[in-house]
Amino acid sequence: MSVRLKLTLSYTGFLLVAGLLLLGVVWMFLLRYVPAEAISIRGELHDGMRGPGLFIPGRYDLWRAFAPKAAALAVFLLVLGLVGGWFLAGRMLAPVARITEATRMAADGSLSHRVNLPGRRDEYRELADAFDTMLARLEAHVAEQQRFAANASHELRTPLAITQTMLEVARSDPGQEVGELVERLYIVNARAIDLTEALLLLSRADRRSFTRDPVDLSLIAEEAAETLLPLAERRGTAVRTSGDVAPVVGSHALLLQMAVNLVHNAIVHNLPEDGTVEVATSVGPQSVRFSVENTGPMLAPHLVATLTEPFQRGTRRVRSDHAGVGLGLAIVQSIVLAHDGTLALEAREGGGLRVTVELPRRDQ
């Protein structure tokens, strides 16, 4: 049976039971006090004439008169329950029908459709609004995944195309220097490996497939700065770390990767000379803050808003041995979200970028 028919039968059954209970109350508390047999009282004589008598019907007389009316009332309640219950059930289930239709359209691939249920904010309205919100997030996620797949395919195709071109040139020119060809192939292959590893790391962070352990972000900051110190010295950039003990719960490897990516970006996208990178940690009542601030060129606000998208490299594409693969901040954002935190990017007034990560604080 459909839900509408079940509701109709439920309404009808409830109405019949209520009517029968009412009739039972009438019988129990009224008719039971009436004498079983009828009572007839003859009128008194007056001037030789007998006056009108008094006839009091008995319980059975009243029941014979009451029973057909009660049966007719029960039939009326049955018809009223079926018709009214069917109508009311249809009205009550109309929002469910709209949500079901939207679900079918979403299953067919139409994620742009919305329920947009009108009326007061009741349980159905809250369900429809939650479903619309889910569809909007799913549509945005699918669009982001499509863009990511297209960008990843393009980025992976580039080193493969370069490798094939170099091999074709080498095949057509047997006298070419082999050492130079091997060196170039090594660089291109290393870039392809870095890109593949970055994609795998991004996928791992999105799936949240990692164990959670107690971690101190201040130690993570010092380890990331120490790891990238040779790069900073070669580029003439000073890296300074400061802050308090910042206890969180998460993956040490992923949080270290987050810190390394942020410090690496801060070093690479900095001033040509005498640049600085400030790495700091602080503790609040409910959260822990990890911030990386660097000097550098002026950044427009609209550009800063797109830096966390995959394969975005700022105003210029940095061409060096530390150019990266364009997934640094995208990986950082995925790691932060996987740890239930927030990521904020802000352009500094004097040039450069300020990146702030907030993660839930671990209770001591």
Side-chain angles (χ1 to χ4, degrees), residues 166 177-189:
M166 287 191 296
E177 180 85 24
V178 177
E180 182 181 357
L181 176 63
V182 172
E183 183 65 23
R184 287 169 132 185
L185 288 176
Y186 176 80
I187 295 174
V188 174
N189 188 65

Side-chain angles (χ1 to χ4, degrees), residues 49-70:
M49 301 292 292
R50 184 174 296 276
L54 177 64
F55 178 79
I56 302 176
R59 183 188 308 162
Y60 298 108
D61 297 324
L62 293 176
W63 176 250
R64 282 191 295 270
F66 179 70
K69 304 299 186 296

Side-chain angles (χ1 to χ4, degrees), residues 55-200:
F55 178 79
I56 302 176
R59 183 188 308 162
Y60 298 108
D61 297 324
L62 293 176
W63 176 250
R64 282 191 295 270
F66 179 70
K69 304 299 186 296
L73 178 62
V75 173
F76 173 76
L77 290 177
L78 177 62
V79 175
L80 179 64
L82 290 174
V83 176
W86 184 262
F87 174 75
L88 290 176
R91 290 290 301 274
M92 293 295 294
L93 294 176
V96 178
R98 293 187 59 169
I99 297 174
T100 303
E101 181 63 23
T103 304
R104 289 197 183 99
M105 296 183 68
D108 293 336
S110 176
L111 299 178
S112 60
H113 179 71
R114 299 292 182 268
V115 180
N116 291 328
L117 189 67
R120 297 180 179 178
R121 180 167 291 278
D122 55 6
E123 288 81 357
Y124 287 127
R125 176 71 180 278
E126 291 180 357
L127 176 61
D129 292 346
F131 187 78
D132 287 344
T133 302
M134 182 194 69
L135 282 180
R137 291 181 179 177
L138 183 61
E139 183 182 17
H141 181 70
V142 169
E144 181 181 354
Q145 290 298 318
Q146 290 175 347
R147 292 194 304 269
F148 177 78
N151 291 332
S153 300
H154 174 74
E155 294 288 335
L156 284 172
R157 185 176 57 185
T158 300
L160 294 177
I162 295 174
T163 301
Q164 184 175 356
T165 301
M166 287 191 296
L167 291 176
E168 289 177 353
V169 171
R171 186 172 61 177
S172 62
D173 185 11
Q176 187 180 7
E177 180 85 24
V178 177
E180 182 181 357
L181 176 63
V182 172
E183 183 65 23
R184 287 169 132 185
L185 288 176
Y186 176 80
I187 295 174
V188 174
N189 188 65
R191 178 174 177 78
I193 292 175
D194 291 342
L195 178 58
T196 304
E197 290 180 348
L199 291 173
L200 292 175

Side-chain angles (χ1 to χ4, degrees), residues 253 270 275 302:
N270 212 310
H302 70 275

Side-chain angles (χ1 to χ4, degrees), residues 235-248:
R235 300 182 65 91
T237 303
V239 180
R240 293 188 289 268
T241 60
S242 62
D244 305 323
V245 175
V248 297

